[in-house]
Amino acid sequence: MTTRLYTHPVFLEHLTPAGHPERPDRLRAIERVLDDEAFSALDRVEAPEGDEATILYAHPEDFVGRVRAAIPETGIVSIDADTSASPKSWQAAVTAIGAANAAVDDVFEGRAANVFVAARPPGHHAEKATAMGFCLFNTAAIAARYAQEKHLAERVAIVDWDVHHGNGTQDIFWDDPSVLYCSTHQMPLYPGTGAKSETGAGNIVNAPLAPSTGSDTFRDAFLSRVLPSIDAFQPDLIIISAGFDAHHRDPLAAINLTEDDFDWATGQLMERAGRHSGNRLVSLLEGGYDLQGLAFSVAAHVGRLMKG
Ligand SMILES: [Zn+2]
């Protein structure tokens, strides 16, 4: 079995204002780096059309209606100070959800060893009823609930190594002990949540990292907090909220990781997926705003996934 990659041209058509860090070129940089011969064994599949009904796994209907109503006929509209939508944003967001859910199907039905979804917009800041932080819907949360609904997964772990705290994922699963949410993130930093003391129903594990720290503190947080929590939880599926903005080149944060750290963390989670989850591992792109840092980090991450 191989590593599967989902992409779709519509992900380039979710437009943001000029100068916005969350831009289509991010995916072009990923496409270019994965074009290398080293990735010829990747099973590249166009993301399927998403099922809009699955958005309701994580978001209330009136909120979904409000997002849909905000999508413009032309141009770009602001949803909040740093979140925007263009005419194709709805289709992009729903297709990202379709890809994530298909990835869940793939690992439960044995079509792929593991899956990386290169989509935008990202999702981990989207709370139950608030689109924010470049995110419209919480793709990872929807995929976790989809695994529970469709494949009867009892426990799903979401590991979020994006440099920003996934306030949205934490909000959605705050009182749901069937989903473990573990996050490493810079603190203080946007969105301001993610203190160690925020533990939900005992299913939220935050590992904040001080600005200007790097590999050692990140790996220590993984080894001392994230991995033991996964071992205790014994998930049926591991979903990675894979943001690459903790890379040292990233302009939005001050954590100094390198590609090697993402390679290492990927390997650690694959090992846990092997131990607890029948190897079922799905990785969803979140942030990462320096094109070179993003591309090299994705190459390390996907390369590690392909090693099996
Ligand atoms: Zn981020």
Side-chain angles (χ1 to χ4, degrees), residues 26 122 124-125 133-135 160-166 189-191 242-246 250 252-253 286-289:
R26 298 176 61 233
H124 74 150
H125 292 305
F134 317 163
C135 305
D160 184 337
W161 67 48
D162 188 281
V163 80
H164 302 94
H165 180 242
L189 188 67
Y190 181 91
F244 297 96
D245 39 10
D250 199 274
L252 297 197
E286 299 279 4
Y289 304 101

Side-chain angles (χ1 to χ4, degrees), residues 165 170 181-183 185 194-196 198-199 204-208 225:
H165 180 242
Q170 172 169 298
Y181 176 67
C182 298
S183 176
H185 48 273
K196 269 188 188 173
E198 298 164 18
T199 57
I204 307 288
V205 178
N206 286 313
R225 293 180 64 73

Side-chain angles (χ1 to χ4, degrees), residues 109-193:
E109 293 167 3
R111 277 188 297 276
N114 47 47
V115 185
F116 180 63
V117 176
R120 49 185 294 282
H124 74 150
H125 292 305
E127 298 184 342
K128 280 180 198 142
T130 308
M132 60 184 279
F134 317 163
C135 305
L136 299 177
F137 300 122
N138 198 311
T139 312
I142 293 165
R145 288 255 164 88
Y146 177 84
Q148 295 181 318
E149 292 284 332
K150 174 97 186 281
H151 298 284
L152 306 181
E154 289 180 27
R155 293 174 306 281
V156 179
I158 299 174
V159 178
D160 184 337
W161 67 48
D162 188 281
V163 80
H164 302 94
H165 180 242
N167 60 294
T169 314
Q170 172 169 298
D171 173 62
I172 290 163
F173 297 114
W174 182 256
D175 53 7
D176 180 354
S178 73
V179 175
L180 173 71
Y181 176 67
C182 298
S183 176
T184 58
H185 48 273
Q186 181 181 320
M187 197 167 193
L189 188 67
Y190 181 91
T193 50

Side-chain angles (χ1 to χ4, degrees), residues 207-293:
L209 310 171
S212 301
T213 60
S215 177
D216 290 351
T217 46
F218 171 74
R219 294 189 189 205
D220 181 60
F222 237 70
L223 291 169
S224 66
R225 293 180 64 73
V226 174
L227 299 176
S229 303
I230 292 172
D231 287 336
F233 187 69
Q234 301 188 342
D236 301 306
L237 167 70
I238 297 178
I239 295 174
I240 307 176
S241 263
F244 297 96
D245 39 10
H247 190 276
H248 66 92
R249 289 180 56 96
D250 199 274
L252 297 197
I255 299 295
N256 296 309
L257 300 192
T258 68
E259 298 87 91
D260 288 347
D261 294 306
F262 294 114
D263 178 324
W264 177 84
T266 305
Q268 293 295 318
L269 293 181
M270 289 170 73
E271 199 272 326
R272 260 49 186 199
R275 196 185 299 183
H276 306 296
S277 320
N279 289 311
R280 289 182 288 270
L281 182 70
V282 165
S283 175
L284 310 176
L285 179 68
E286 299 279 4
Y289 304 101
D290 175 81
L291 297 186
Q292 183 187 315

